[in-house]
Amino acid sequence: MLAAYEGMWREQMAAYRKASVKGTRLKEYAALNALSRIELDVRQMKEAGTVATGDLGHDPAVAALDLEAKGGPTARITDCLNLADWAEERDGKPLPLPSSQPTRYRATAEAQRWDGRWRITEYTPEGSRTC
């Protein structure tokens, strides 16, 4: 499941860098609410004329694993996102982070195993919870 989470982030960053999901493999790693959240973020970026630059750091870990769950195996992943090297820009000019945005904050994700593959189905950034 961590490989699916890393894959989701890799493809998400590719989409954020061009404000488009075209040409990404997001659907291989994310589904349901997690995929919808990313697609909404990308659509909002495109409408605002922004793209991501820099890198987003993170440190995921498996917090819970249930291989016997009804409906198939599930997992919960916790992460500490690091915005120290992250930037967003419009027309080539960097945009500052909101002053209330911590540079390190928690996020959680839910994963489910379908057809022999893990997919991230829920993703919840917790911007007010620092780490």
Side-chain angles (χ1 to χ4, degrees), residues 69-120:
K70 188 174 183 175
T74 63
R76 185 171 9 94
I77 299 166
T78 58
D79 199 354
C80 179
L81 301 179
N82 185 342
L83 301 176
D85 295 325
W86 168 264
E88 201 168 333
E89 64 180 43
R90 180 181 298 123
D91 299 325
K93 297 176 184 161
L95 300 172
L97 287 173
S99 59
S100 62
Q101 176 68 60
T103 56
R104 293 175 58 88
Y105 64 92
R106 296 194 179 280
T108 58
E110 301 292 328
Q112 294 180 357
R113 191 165 174 89
W114 300 337
D115 299 325
R117 291 188 57 133
W118 286 98
R119 286 187 178 76
I120 306 305

Side-chain angles (χ1 to χ4, degrees), residues 12 15-16 18-21 26 37-47 50:
Q12 182 176 358
Y16 284 179
K18 59 185 180 176
S20 174
V21 296
L26 272 168
R37 179 183 204 98
I38 295 166
E39 290 173 334
L40 176 61
D41 286 349
V42 169
R43 194 167 34 252
Q44 289 173 335
M45 290 176 79
K46 185 175 186 99
E47 289 170 3
T50 62

Side-chain angles (χ1 to χ4, degrees), residues 1-9 25-35 38 71-77 109-123:
M1 81 283 317
L2 286 177
Y5 186 77
E6 294 286 352
M8 179 192 77
W9 269 107
R25 297 175 16 216
L26 272 168
K27 291 182 180 179
E28 290 181 31
Y29 304 105
L32 302 175
N33 291 340
L35 180 60
I38 295 166
T74 63
R76 185 171 9 94
I77 299 166
E110 301 292 328
Q112 294 180 357
R113 191 165 174 89
W114 300 337
D115 299 325
R117 291 188 57 133
W118 286 98
R119 286 187 178 76
I120 306 305
T121 56
E122 294 282 342
Y123 176 74

